[in-house]
Structure formats: structure tokens, C-alpha cells
Amino acid sequence: MLLTTRALDTKIPAHDRVYRRLRTRIMHGDLPPGQALTIRGIGNEYEVSMTPAREAVRRLAAEGALTMSASGRISTPELSNERIEELAALRALIEVELASRALPRAHLALIERLQVTNGAIAEAVAHRDAVSYIRTNLEFHRTLYLRAQAPAMLAMAETVWLQMGPTMRALYGRLRRTEPPQFHRLIIAALRAGDEPGLRLAVRSDVTQGLRMLAS
Amino acid sequence: MLLTTRALDTKIPAHDRVYRRLRTRIMHGDLPPGQALTIRGIGNEYEVSMTPAREAVRRLAAEGALTMSASGRISTPELSNERIEELAALRALIEVELASRALPRAHLALIERLQVTNGAIAEAVAHRDAVSYIRTNLEFHRTLYLRAQAPAMLAMAETVWLQMGPTMRALYGRLRRTEPPQFHRLIIAALRAGDEPGLRLAVRSDVTQGLRMLAS
DNA sequence: TGGCTGTTTTTGTGATCACAAGTCCTTATG
DNA sequence: CATAAGGACTTGTGATCACAAAAACAGCCA
């Protein structure tokens, strides 16, 4: 029997494929803030018709990853400073809780994985690669939070990341530094020591740290 | 010139109308958990074709108001106890912050509006009307949180409410009490006194109070 | 009577088309 | 040269249809 490109074809719907790929690009900062998109353009890029492209856009708009003007035009969000502050506060609230819940379950293998990821972050910083930086940084946080066994909270945190994606790219793009995030080391140290107050402070500091770049 | 039913027709798209009406019904507990829905059925009910009905469903599914099975079947969510605990914790985190931010802006007119709303809640409780209870209760919280001037946080809180809508109905349906929520009086008292720690505690207590019904 | 198999119906998915509103560019006019 | 008006093009919206897969149902056999 002849099989298609993949054995055991999982048969993912087209709208889901388009959604996932677009979502990844937005979350990682592959698109700048205010970038205009069209349904026909998306459909053309992913070789699907307007229908699944429209559903992917609608889904992303519902999550705040895309904004729609009154006339229905689609673009990545341009966040005001007030909204960035709000989203950072949400990150602090949710991610501190996630880290706290992950702490009792964080064994040595997890901490070592975090250190490896932290090395990848340092490499992205050294190469001035904004997209790689954002991707590995989110991977660091997600690796930790997955241990919290709290899928609804993690989904909320990822929604916030998604909304900040294009803006993060713009912020880190104007940042010119060579050292990796120092608070990640504090997070790892607190995990090793089982120090919950220290962990909460370290996560909060790491999450709200990017806010200082707004003063530039 | 002849006008339609509304002067200055705002021209709301069909998918948006369907979305809003469905969303309100779900958030207020008009649908029980696990209720099956079909795209054609929704389109028929609101007199639109499959296309806008599908977009409304997709949007609600993205917000967690509806769940889709692997084969694409649509239903209201049936939450596990673990997920209810998570959502309640999210409510506590976000709404305590919203209340805290609203406190400095809460003047007397707002507090009086909250008391009027609280009276409506008592009436709904007296009539054993679960939907009215949920609606007025959310109105109480939203009235307060609107003063926080934090639209992103409020949207997050409403998303959590939306996910809990059908389950709230089931929980309050099995509840047989006659007194209105006592913590609302504490919230109002803390607002009057400008007592921020007291407000945070009162909101947290009110939000997590419903969890005790899970033991039944 | 109970379980299984075949068919029929229901249901979500994706493509295509018509349409209206918005946007952009050209052009004429002051 | 600047500006406004006109048309051409782009773009989102909604309806309809074909199709495949899943669910529901009926009938058959042990």
C-alpha cells in the first residue's frame, strides 16, 4: 500500500496547520508590530483557500495575537505603554504562581535542562538573534511551568506571550547587550535550594525586567 | 427616507452578532456543561449560514468557552475538579489585582452602584434563579474592575468567567441557600474604608468561596 | 434477547463565488 | 504644486456546494 509523506497520517485540518504556524511566528517575534496581513495572502502562502485562512486569523484575533480594525483589516498589534505594563503585570502574577507550583516537582533533571536552555539563550544573545532569543527564552519558562501541572494557567501565560510577541521583537531589537539574563541564574539557584520566596522574586524580576527598556 | 429597525445602522457583522449572543448565554450559565452544539443548528437558530456560525464557534473555542473533540464535535466544556481549582486560582490572582487597582479610583457613586447591584443579587437568590444570579454577580465584579482601567486584565478575567459559565450553573443549581454572598459586603466595606489588604482578602474569599461546593 | 454489521443520516471541512465597502492611485483643477 | 474627485483594485463577509468521516439507526444472526 502506498503511503503519503507520513506514515500514520495524523490528518491535521488545514485551518489548524495555518493557525499553528502563524502563531509560532507571531509568538517568536517573527513579525514586527503593526504588520498588515490579508486572508488571501495567508491562504496563498500556506496553499489553502480563504476559508481555513480566515478561521486561523479569527482564532488568533480571539487570543489577542492579531488585531482587526473596524473595517476588518488584519494586523499584528501595536501595544501602548499602558498595555505593555498590564501584560507584564499579568505575566508576573501568573508565572510566579506557575513557578511556585512547579517548585515541589522540580527535580534535578529539570534543573539541568533549564541550564542547557540557558546556554542556548546566551548563544542567541551573542549572535544578536532576536527571534532565537525570544524562542529559547520562552522555552526556558515553559519547561519550568510544565512541571506545575496547570494547563489552564500555562495557556493563559502563553496567550500573554503571544500578545507581546511582535512588541518583544521590537524591544529586544533595539537592545544592544551581550550578557544573558541574569535572573535566570537566580531562578535556577532558588530551584536548587527549594527557596520559594526567592523563586517568586526571581521570576517576578525576570518577567518585569523588560519594562525598563520602555524608558528609552 | 425609510430606515431599518435601527436608525444609524451600526452594521454589525453576522458572525459578531452570533458570537456575542452565544457568549452571553454561555457566560451566564444558560447552557449546561457538556451541551452538544452544531454549526448548522447555530446558523439555523440565528438565521445565518454556516460560515458566520463557524467563525463564532471557532472564536468561542479559542477562548475556552466551547470545546471541540478530535473529530470536531462542539460542546460546552465539562470541567474536571482540577481545572476548576486552576480557574478559581486564576480568578483570585487577576481579580485581586484588578480590585487593588480600582481602589484608588473608587468614589462614592461607584460604591452605591455596587450596593444596588448587590440588592439585585439578593433578589436573584431569593427567586432561585441561577442565570440571574450569575449575571448580576458578574455585573458586580465587572462594575468594580472597570475602574481599574486595565482592559487586558479585565479581558483575561472575563475569559475565565466564560470558561466557568456552564459549570457555575451546575454548581449554583445544586446549591440551596437563601442568603446573598456575604463577602460582597466585606468588599464594599473595604472600599469605603480604603482598606487595601482587607479588599484583597475579601475579593479572594469571594472568588474562591464557590470551591467548597465541590465537596458535595 | 443481545451484539454485530450494514446502511443512512448527520456533521465538520474546504473551495468557490458574488457582493459591498474600503483603500489606493491616477488625474484634473484650482 | 497642492488638493480633491474619480475610478480601479483590494479585501473582508456571507452563502452555497461537494466531500469525507463520524455517529446514529436498522436489521440480521447467534
Side-chain angles (χ1 to χ4, degrees):
Chain A
M1 177 186 289
L2 189 60
L3 293 180
T4 50
T5 53
R6 284 257 295 258
L8 275 183
D9 197 338
T10 47
K11 207 65 186 80
I12 295 176
H15 65 86
D16 214 17
R17 272 188 307 121
V18 175
Y19 163 77
R20 286 181 213 240
R21 294 180 65 173
L22 258 181
R23 181 184 131 107
T24 299
R25 290 187 61 188
I26 294 171
M27 192 185 295
H28 292 354
D30 206 6
L31 299 174
Q35 174 70 254
L37 299 174
T38 65
I39 291 175
R40 284 175 176 86
I42 293 169
N44 201 292
E45 183 175 349
Y46 294 105
E47 296 179 334
V48 295
S49 78
M50 292 174 61
T51 308
R54 222 200 310 193
E55 297 189 32
V57 166
R58 189 77 59 203
R59 195 167 160 192
L60 288 165
E63 295 179 300
L66 293 174
T67 62
M68 310 199 61
S69 75
S71 65
R73 294 303 171 91
I74 307 152
S75 63
T76 54
E78 293 183 284
L79 305 181
S80 65
N81 284 2
E82 291 76 18
R83 181 152 290 235
I84 292 175
E85 187 277 330
E86 257 192 271
L87 292 176
L90 277 169
R91 279 198 65 179
L93 285 173
I94 298 171
E95 296 190 26
V96 163
E97 178 71 16
L98 279 167
S100 176
R101 291 183 180 217
L103 177 58
R105 308 167 187 259
H107 39 280
L108 192 59
L110 175 73
I111 297 176
E112 285 172 354
R113 257 191 80 191
L114 289 176
Q115 275 184 321
V116 170
T117 306
N118 216 19
I121 296 176
E123 202 164 335
V125 169
H127 286 76
R128 303 280 199 279
D129 187 341
V131 173
S132 289
Y133 176 86
I134 295 174
R135 188 185 66 246
T136 48
N137 185 54
L138 293 185
E139 189 183 331
F140 179 92
H141 286 268
R142 180 167 20 225
T143 300
L144 174 58
Y145 304 151
L146 271 174
R147 279 299 193 287
Q149 302 280 35
M153 283 191 187
L154 182 55
M156 283 277 170
E158 295 205 356
T159 297
V160 179
W161 298 346
L162 198 53
Q163 295 182 35
M164 298 188 75
T167 300
M168 294 260 287
R169 173 218 178 90
L171 288 182
Y172 286 122
R174 91 172 59 150
L175 178 65
R176 286 285 168 262
R177 71 172 178 192
T178 52
E179 75 280 3
Q182 65 270 29
F183 293 115
H184 282 195
R185 297 194 170 278
L186 292 181
I187 291 173
I188 291 174
L191 285 173
R192 279 195 199 283
D195 173 17
E196 200 213 342
L199 178 63
R200 297 179 84 96
L201 178 62
V203 170
R204 173 178 298 268
S205 303
D206 183 61
V207 160
T208 56
Q209 157 217 31
L211 271 185
R212 302 195 194 99
M213 290 183 277
L214 287 180
S216 66
Chain B
M1 178 188 289
L2 188 60
L3 293 180
T4 49
T5 52
R6 284 258 294 260
L8 276 183
D9 198 337
T10 47
K11 208 64 186 80
I12 296 176
H15 65 85
D16 215 16
R17 272 189 306 122
V18 175
Y19 164 77
R20 287 181 214 241
R21 295 179 64 174
L22 257 180
R23 182 184 130 107
T24 300
R25 290 187 61 188
I26 294 171
M27 192 186 293
H28 292 171
D30 206 6
L31 298 175
Q35 174 70 255
L37 298 174
T38 66
I39 292 175
R40 285 175 177 87
I42 292 168
N44 201 291
E45 182 175 351
Y46 295 103
E47 296 178 335
V48 295
S49 78
M50 291 175 61
T51 309
R54 221 196 316 189
E55 296 189 32
V57 165
R58 189 78 58 202
R59 194 168 161 191
L60 288 164
E63 296 178 301
L66 293 174
T67 61
M68 308 199 63
S69 75
S71 66
R73 294 304 172 90
I74 307 153
S75 63
T76 54
E78 293 183 283
L79 305 181
S80 65
N81 284 3
E82 291 78 17
R83 181 151 290 236
I84 292 176
E85 187 277 330
E86 259 192 89
L87 292 176
L90 278 170
R91 280 197 66 180
L93 285 172
I94 298 171
E95 298 191 27
V96 163
E97 177 71 16
L98 279 167
S100 177
R101 291 183 181 219
L103 177 58
R105 308 167 187 260
H107 38 281
L108 193 60
L110 176 73
I111 297 176
E112 285 171 355
R113 256 191 82 191
L114 289 176
Q115 276 184 321
V116 171
T117 306
N118 217 17
I121 297 175
E123 201 166 334
V125 169
H127 286 77
R128 303 280 198 279
D129 186 341
V131 173
S132 289
Y133 176 86
I134 295 174
R135 189 186 65 246
T136 50
N137 186 53
L138 293 184
E139 188 183 332
F140 179 93
H141 286 268
R142 182 169 16 228
T143 300
L144 174 58
Y145 303 151
L146 271 175
R147 280 297 192 287
Q149 303 279 37
M153 282 191 188
L154 181 56
M156 282 279 169
E158 293 205 357
T159 297
V160 179
W161 298 347
L162 197 53
Q163 295 183 36
M164 297 188 75
T167 301
M168 294 258 287
R169 173 218 179 90
L171 288 182
Y172 286 122
R174 90 172 59 151
L175 178 64
R176 286 286 168 260
R177 70 173 177 192
T178 51
E179 76 279 4
Q182 65 271 28
F183 292 115
H184 282 195
R185 299 195 169 277
L186 292 181
I187 291 173
I188 291 174
L191 285 173
R192 279 196 200 281
D195 173 16
E196 201 213 342
L199 179 63
R200 297 178 84 96
L201 178 62
V203 171
R204 174 179 296 269
S205 303
D206 183 60
V207 161
T208 56
Q209 154 218 32
L211 271 185
R212 301 196 195 97
M213 290 184 278
L214 287 180
S216 64

